[in-house]
Amino acid sequence: MRGLLIKDFYCLKKQLINYGFIIVGVVVISIMFVLSYNFGNIHAGFAEMVDSSQNTEADIGQIARNAMLLFMLIPIACAADLSHLFTDDENASFYKVAAAFPVSIGKRVACRFISGYLYIAIGVAVDLIMTVILSSLTNIISFGKFCGVIVTFASLILMYVSMVILLVYFLGSGKITYANVIPLLIGISVFVFANFDKVKDFMTNVNDNALYDQVTEFMFHRSYIMFIAAIIVSGVAYLASVYIAGRKRGVA
């Protein structure tokens, strides 16, 4: 299994290099944003907006929190693209030799999931480092709330990656685009259905802060629900992937 994991990360080598540049950029920009928010041009601009009654302090705080949430999302979201794992295997006809390995289908599928988990773990580690740094520089979001945001984002990406892997086994690696898009459509549909009234109000600008407040409150204080959901979705996706790989011999 270790050899398969190494092979997967070789497939992601170029992507990991680009990922490293993105992470460095996000960390630097987020620190610069916080420092400017506290002492620099952003602080002066926001203060002028409050003095001229263009925005309230609450509005300014919400804008700053939105920026911070975006910074936290990027490192984990970048880990969602595993398409190279499947396209490189297909281009190299790896499936022709995979069945000859002394590794069961279950373990081969598990390696694909573990590769995804490790990729997400890199993003989580970066976010934790950012949390320690940023929470010491600002009170926009506390350390505990930062951690809740990380758990929520990581859980969402974990569910997305698990669904993508399942759909690639089901549809075939030649339809990776569909496998990437379908989980997004499912996730958006579930969110809209579960919060239809608030989404409607948000779209019509009626009490448009209600949806934002509900989402942020959920991330800050009930992120464990997403974590539990991610474990369940990932487990079901793995078992279904093993079943499909067993039926469609040579795809794992």
Side-chain angles (χ1 to χ4, degrees):
M1 287 183 65
R2 184 174 62 181
L4 291 175
L5 290 174
I6 293 173
K7 184 270 299 178
D8 283 349
F9 274 86
Y10 268 111
C11 291
L12 293 170
K13 182 179 179 180
K14 182 178 180 180
Q15 193 169 329
L16 284 169
I17 294 173
N18 295 333
Y19 187 28
F21 286 115
I22 292 173
I23 287 174
V24 172
V26 169
V27 172
V28 172
I29 292 174
S30 62
I31 293 174
M32 291 175 63
F33 172 83
V34 170
L35 292 176
S36 184
Y37 175 82
N38 288 336
F39 312 108
N41 294 333
I42 294 178
H43 174 80
F46 282 163
E48 183 178 345
M49 293 170 65
V50 173
D51 292 340
S52 61
S53 300
Q54 296 180 35
N55 293 96
T56 65
E57 291 188 5
D59 292 333
I60 297 302
Q62 180 173 317
I63 293 171
R65 280 193 297 274
N66 288 342
M68 299 300 297
L69 294 179
L70 178 61
F71 293 141
M72 302 302 294
L73 172 62
I74 292 175
I76 296 178
C78 289
D81 183 13
L82 297 179
S83 57
H84 286 288
L85 292 181
F86 295 96
T87 55
D88 287 353
D89 280 356
E90 182 180 26
N91 292 336
S93 299
F94 180 73
Y95 67 91
K96 294 181 179 180
V97 298
F101 292 161
V103 181
S104 66
I105 290 179
K107 289 183 178 179
R108 296 204 298 270
V109 174
C111 284
R112 189 52 46 91
F113 276 83
I114 292 172
S115 296
Y117 298 161
L118 292 175
Y119 203 17
I120 295 172
I122 296 173
V124 171
V126 173
D127 269 355
L128 286 174
I129 294 172
M130 288 176 58
T131 295
V132 173
I133 297 172
L134 298 181
S135 62
S136 65
L137 296 175
T138 181
N139 58 0
I140 300 174
I141 305 178
S142 66
F143 179 81
K145 291 180 178 180
F146 265 128
C147 291
V149 171
I150 293 172
V151 172
T152 301
F153 287 161
S155 299
L156 286 172
I157 298 301
L158 178 59
M159 286 189 281
Y160 172 78
V161 167
S162 299
M163 289 294 294
V164 168
I165 295 174
L166 170 60
L167 287 170
V168 170
Y169 280 116
F170 180 71
L171 299 173
S173 55
K175 298 181 179 179
I176 187 68
T177 301
Y178 294 105
N180 284 326
V181 172
I182 291 174
L184 288 176
L185 297 177
I186 293 174
I188 293 172
S189 299
V190 170
F191 178 80
V192 171
F193 179 78
N195 303 277
F196 182 78
D197 291 336
K198 290 185 174 63
V199 172
K200 181 180 177 181
D201 290 343
F202 179 79
M203 297 298 293
T204 57
N205 293 321
V206 177
N207 193 22
D208 56 356
N209 283 332
L211 181 63
Y212 173 84
D213 292 340
Q214 178 178 322
V215 171
T216 53
E217 178 70 15
F218 183 91
M219 290 192 296
F220 293 156
H221 302 293
R222 292 189 290 173
S223 57
Y224 64 90
I225 296 176
M226 291 301 300
F227 182 68
I228 294 172
I231 293 175
I232 294 173
V233 170
S234 182
V236 172
Y238 168 72
L239 294 176
S241 297
V242 172
Y243 174 78
I244 293 170
R247 295 291 299 271
K248 299 168 67 174
R249 296 183 182 278
V251 301

